[in-house]
Amino acid sequence: MEIPYNVEERPDTGLYNGKLGIWLFLASEVMLFGGLFSSYILLRTGDPNWFKPELSVPMATLNTMVLISSSVTMVMAWASLRLQDFKKFRLFSAATFLLACAFMVIKGFEYNTEFSHHLYPSSNNFMATYFTMTGLHGLHVLGGMVVIAYLWGPGSRMWKTEPERFTNRVEITGLYWHFVDLVWIFLFPALYLL
Amino acid sequence: MTAHSPEDIRKETRVYIFVFIALAALTVVTVGISYLDLSTGPAVALALFVALIKGSLVAAFFMHLLSERKLIYAVLVFTVFFFLALIFLPLGSFLNQVAG
Amino acid sequence: MSFSEKREEGVSEHDSEVPEAPEGLSEPPDRGAAEAHGAHHQEGFLRKYIFSIDHKVIGLQYGLTALLFMLFGFCLMLLMRWQLAFPGQPIPVIGGLLGNANAPGGVMLPEFYNQLGAMHGTIMVFLGVVPLVVGAFGNYFVPLQIGAPDMAFPKLNMMSYWVYFVGGVIMFVSFFLPGGAANSGWTSYPPLSNIATMGQTAWLLGMVFLITSSLLGSINIITTIIQLRAEGLTYMRMPFFIWSQFVTSFLLLLAFPPLEAAGVMQLMDRLAGTSFFMPSGLVVSGQVLEGAGGGSPLLWQHLFWFLAHPEVYVLILPAMGIVAEVIANNTRKPLWGYKAMVYASVWLGFMSFIVWAHHMFLTGMGTVMSAFFQTTTMIISIPSVVILTALLISLWGGSIRFNTPMLFALAFLPMFGIGGLTGLPLGLAPSDIHLHDTYYVIGHFHYVVAPGTIFAIFAGIYFWFPKFTGRRMSESLGKIHFWGSFIFMNGVFGPMFLQGLAGVSRRLYDGGVQYSHAQDVVQFNQFMSYSAFLLLIAQLPFIFNFFWSMRMGEKVGNNPWQATTLDWAATSSPPLGHGNFAEVPVVWRGPYEYSVPGHEEDFLPQNVATPAPQEG
Ligand code: HEM
Ligand SMILES: [Cu+2]
């Protein structure tokens, strides 16, 4: 038995199941990070003794660039599949994965510096917000990396048997990945610049 | 999505590169603004404005929302509405606290 | 490939295989055949019953687990009711088993009462009712009623059950931690919850699992409804039950994540020493607490109620859906105002996101925001009234069949009515100042969820039992169950309004014996507790009936109630395993074509091809 519209689009909605599914998931993610942003705004406006230690803007800027680049390579990987160019897909998704690694490593260095300056989540409410939000974002990056690695490696066997379905999977992963990028685009000014 | 010819897709990839350049440039801009030492109000407004542009670029092109189906728009419109409620109603209640 | 081509291919594919009983779909509905089918596919026991990806099995798993949790939550409450009626007296029979940390000499300690209260609320809401109405009924009947072979994402479906299960186990095990289970109420308000015993950490972890499970489930249900509707099943031909599941899933999808965020923050507060919800200079037992401070306890309340208000509609909307199905079937009439009901439920879902701070009128909220939330609260009561009124008018002029499901569905109407109407004074700040946190509130929401939602759940179980098992439940036992439940439910919850109006607080360990001004109403406690114990006894016929009917109930065909929706077109006691319909159904008309003039029988199923006779 086959579930209808797993691969092909349903004519009246123009969507395959996975695409609708991922957008619904992203909608819930908007609300998840929305809750955190809302808390951040409230705590910050509500606390007269709000204190924000200096964070490393250059490192964060570098990380922003890294994440943006990984978004481009991700979308290029998908485009390569649509152009039936599997080799290029492998190349671009490997690049995406490596850029994601770079992001995590840089993030790790940042955390390390902060710890060495005795800045912990418990130090003050800014650091608490900072670690919670970037930590949760980092978990999302990790999750994405697992999926990207899978689609690069064992998962890519599907390309031979069901190319369209595989392309869809890459598209969906891309949507998730760009969303993670998008969250960072807001985290960056909110936590580092303001 | 399947209806696109290779030519279209190649055109799309060129757009992706432009978007990337724009995103990088805007990142530099927003960092630059932060060194201007504006007062809180304008600083927040400007930073959010730039972030909104960047976010819209990612959503519109990388997530190809520009050419997405109506149904997805409907879901997102609801989500944005509830998101705004989540941000502004608690804030409103905070600012409207009775003193004491 | 176009829509109709695809469908045609699907149909012909099945046609050619029917003689060989493809996937067991056309096999007779008895157990032997179902098992043979399992063996035929070499599906192991694990795959078929435990880690199944078939929505029917998952629905049953959800249903049985949630029913057990509900019974458990009810038993917790019985312990509390003993304490409320006979404060300080040893609990008979099982008092000695509760352990010295909880009830030395069988006498309940206040700390234990708090655990029971918090866990009763949590278990009933998150482990009992939601998994029943969405996980069980939603899972089982959404695909069947829209003519789909399964959920859109079967594996995700399986995951959502197991994530729920883990969450439930964490909650259950927390009773055995040092200091016991969570004891800060189901609302877990900080700063109390921040400094509470370890059970609170377990509660938060459990909630993260339960929230994740709901998210997976809701994505699945929404996608299924949008993508897998049978040909011809337009939105306005969907049974009202499907609409209620649709709206409910959106509430779960968008309202739960902020609580997940809040849960993570409270976990950070408890484990990493942050102060999201800790104000500066909090004094506990005469000492100022260490820590950064500067946090806001009210922030938790906002995030909590952002979920928890929509949550009450998660509890009630699917119940309305079930009741609508049962009423349409047993009045043998189309639902009156089907369209109005659909629009009302969408409107209800939408508004439910912007009323939450009516739970917070007493937090020092200023008049501007208070006016806003009072207004939205009054507005949101309108769609509930629309739905309830439509259901009531649907009864008018019907030739009603008073069977057990219908009795429960009928009782739902006034019970929900009482629950809803008593909510209005709570939504207006001036009256809420008096009523807030009294037993009036407990009475109000229990009328909604206990004789309301739970009656709808019973209606659903009696109504759809033949679909699960191919057999009908005993009517006479069902009627005993109904009348017992109906009388004793009101016995438990009715007097709560009077107690609350007299000012008796909720969450009191001794039920208010120290309120000298309220002795006239505090004495009702014994009557209420006796009603609660009798309510337990009234459930025995149901439990017996449930298991007895599985083996001995009257055998029935696919459509024992002469119903019109697609679920009744599928085989009864459908063989477990993937796939639902022998022939992909095509829908020709709306969901409730009962007593169509000019048609021989008094019902016209959605999938029967004869065009409806022209009226005129
Ligand atoms: C039918 C049997 C039930 C009985 C006899 C019962 C009784 C009670 C009583 C007496 C309280 C107040 C305890 C106190 O304030 O100390 C209470 C609290 C509560 N109940 Fe029930 N209840 C029942 C079913 C339910 C159901 C079905 C739900 C939800 C779906 C539910 C949800 C709650 C919640 C959320 C609380 C508040 C807990 C808290 O204070 O944190 N109850 N119940
Ligand atoms: Cu509410």
Side-chain angles (χ1 to χ4, degrees), chain B residues 92-94 96-98, chain C residues 298 302 356-374:
Chain B
S93 314
F94 258 52
N96 193 218
Q97 270 310 308
V98 176
Chain C
L298 282 190
H302 278 294
W356 78 83
H358 60 210
H359 298 272
M360 299 169 63
F361 286 141
L362 268 75
T363 58
M365 187 189 294
T367 46
V368 177
M369 291 313 284
S370 169
F372 173 82
F373 283 111
Q374 289 177 65

Side-chain angles (χ1 to χ4, degrees), chain C residues 560-575:
Chain C
W561 309 111
Q562 297 86 37
T564 49
T565 45
L566 289 184
D567 41 339
W568 301 104
T571 1
S572 268
S573 175

Side-chain angles (χ1 to χ4, degrees), chain C residues 305 308-310 312-313 352 355-359 377 444:
Chain C
W305 288 111
H309 188 85
V312 305
Y313 292 99
S352 73
V355 300
W356 78 83
H358 60 210
H359 298 272
T377 304
H444 148 67

Side-chain angles (χ1 to χ4, degrees), chain C residues 196-337:
Chain C
T197 49
M198 210 153 105
Q200 182 63 22
T201 306
W203 187 90
L204 290 165
L205 271 179
M207 283 307 291
V208 169
F209 275 91
L210 296 178
I211 294 171
T212 308
S213 154
S214 294
L215 285 182
L216 299 180
S218 56
I219 291 174
N220 219 338
I221 290 184
I222 298 172
T223 310
T224 306
I225 293 177
I226 293 180
Q227 291 283 97
L228 302 188
R229 275 169 295 125
E231 191 180 349
L233 188 60
T234 54
Y235 285 109
M236 277 305 167
R237 283 179 176 176
M238 295 196 309
F240 184 67
F241 175 75
I242 298 294
W243 268 106
S244 71
Q245 291 284 336
F246 191 57
V247 176
T248 301
S249 299
F250 267 104
L251 299 185
L252 286 175
L253 183 78
L254 299 177
F256 248 135
L259 183 64
E260 189 144 24
V264 170
M265 289 194 284
Q266 199 178 97
L267 271 177
M268 292 288 285
D269 272 6
R270 294 179 55 87
L271 301 177
T274 59
S275 309
F276 287 115
F277 305 124
M278 291 293 254
S280 308
L282 186 70
V283 178
V284 178
S285 318
Q287 290 204 311
V288 178
L289 272 199
E290 296 276 323
S296 162
L298 282 190
L299 172 59
W300 169 271
Q301 296 197 17
H302 278 294
L303 295 177
F304 180 83
W305 288 111
F306 188 88
L307 155 85
H309 188 85
E311 179 79 7
V312 305
Y313 292 99
V314 171
L315 302 174
I316 199 67
L317 265 175
M320 290 170 163
I322 296 171
V323 167
E325 296 304 302
V326 174
I327 285 186
N329 177 262
N330 286 306
T331 52
R332 318 304 296 163
K333 267 171 71 208
L335 280 183
W336 188 89

Side-chain angles (χ1 to χ4, degrees), chain C residues 70 73-74 77-78 80-81 84 113-114 116-126 128-130 184-188 315 437-439 442 445-446 448-451 453-454 489 492-493 496 505-509 511 528 531-532 535:
Chain C
M70 222 154 82
F74 183 50
M77 179 41 66
L78 291 181
M80 295 169 74
R81 283 280 14 149
L84 292 173
Y113 182 88
N114 285 346
L116 293 177
M119 295 310 282
H120 159 76
T122 306
I123 288 175
M124 283 297 193
V125 173
F126 296 110
V129 173
V130 177
S184 313
W186 83 292
T187 49
S188 283
L315 302 174
D437 256 348
T438 64
Y439 260 95
I442 306 284
F445 72 69
H446 280 87
V448 177
V449 291
T453 301
I454 292 196
M489 280 278 190
V492 185
F493 297 115
M496 287 187 185
S505 263
R506 67 192 277 204
R507 295 179 176 165
L508 286 178
Y509 157 66
M528 291 152 75
S531 301
L535 184 58

Side-chain angles (χ1 to χ4, degrees), chain C residues 415 446-447 449-452 454-455 458 484-495 531 535 539:
Chain C
M415 295 295 102
H446 280 87
Y447 262 95
V449 291
I454 292 196
F455 276 11
F458 282 137
S485 302
F486 183 73
I487 292 167
F488 298 128
M489 280 278 190
N490 283 289
V492 185
F493 297 115
S531 301
L535 184 58
Q539 304 314 305

